[in-house]
Amino acid sequence: MARPQSPQDKDREGCPCGGLAFEDCCARYLERGEIPPTAEALMRSRYTAFVRQNAPYLLDTWAARTRPATLDFGDAPQWLGLQVKAHLQRDERHAEVEFVARYKVGGRAHRLHERSRFERTDDGRWRYIDGDLFD
């Protein structure tokens, strides 16, 4: 019989964003308060936050003008993987990240293909603004 996974074991698993072990990847942003240096790093950490249902992090990294008041994970999908297709740095304060996130709902697999827009605010932090979905 396998023993239950400890929180330390979970942190040593591969990061949901596809990077290194969680502890060496997105944990620095989600748990240790480091600031993602690029829009792509922020997007990867936000994907991981969706997987881990970390609403405070998601809301904090969302631009105030487009941020929802709350997030509800009641019927959250099962996230399966992330592929970053492109990262375009438009200028010092604006960037776009195109990605495909795979997920399951009710046993059916789906894909979310989006080009997300990010801006660097006056405090030097990247924030998610919005995105355009592909068919």
Side-chain angles (χ1 to χ4, degrees):
M1 178 178 222
R3 69 177 175 86
Q5 223 181 15
S6 73
Q8 293 80 18
D9 291 339
K10 189 171 177 96
D11 289 349
R12 295 306 323 159
E13 288 181 355
C15 190
C17 82
L20 308 166
F22 173 73
E23 186 59 33
D24 300 324
C25 194
C26 289
R28 63 184 143 180
Y29 310 126
L30 276 74
E31 296 179 353
R32 295 196 297 275
E34 290 183 33
I35 296 171
T38 65
E40 180 180 345
L42 176 62
M43 196 283 310
R44 288 180 174 280
S45 70
R46 284 177 54 82
Y47 173 83
T48 298
F50 272 107
V51 171
R52 291 179 161 241
Q53 300 184 357
N54 184 334
Y57 182 82
L58 290 165
L59 292 170
D60 186 50
T61 57
W62 213 311
R65 68 183 184 277
T66 59
R67 174 178 49 225
T70 61
L71 289 174
D72 178 18
F73 295 108
D75 56 353
Q78 175 190 0
W79 294 100
L80 303 173
L82 174 70
Q83 177 188 19
V84 174
K85 309 276 263 170
H87 174 216
L88 177 62
Q89 187 72 41
R90 294 248 175 237
D91 59 36
E92 284 253 335
R93 297 177 66 100
H94 300 92
E96 295 178 356
V97 178
E98 181 182 345
F99 68 91
V100 174
R102 295 177 301 103
Y103 64 97
K104 270 189 185 178
V105 173
R108 291 196 56 204
H110 302 274
R111 291 170 22 115
L112 171 68
H113 186 180
E114 178 177 310
R115 181 176 295 120
S116 297
R117 283 181 287 280
F118 297 86
E119 69 182 352
R120 183 178 281 154
T121 53
D122 291 339
D123 63 2
R125 296 177 61 188
W126 285 101
R127 290 201 164 69
Y128 171 76
I129 302 170
D130 60 16
D132 295 321
L133 295 175
F134 291 82
D135 288 333

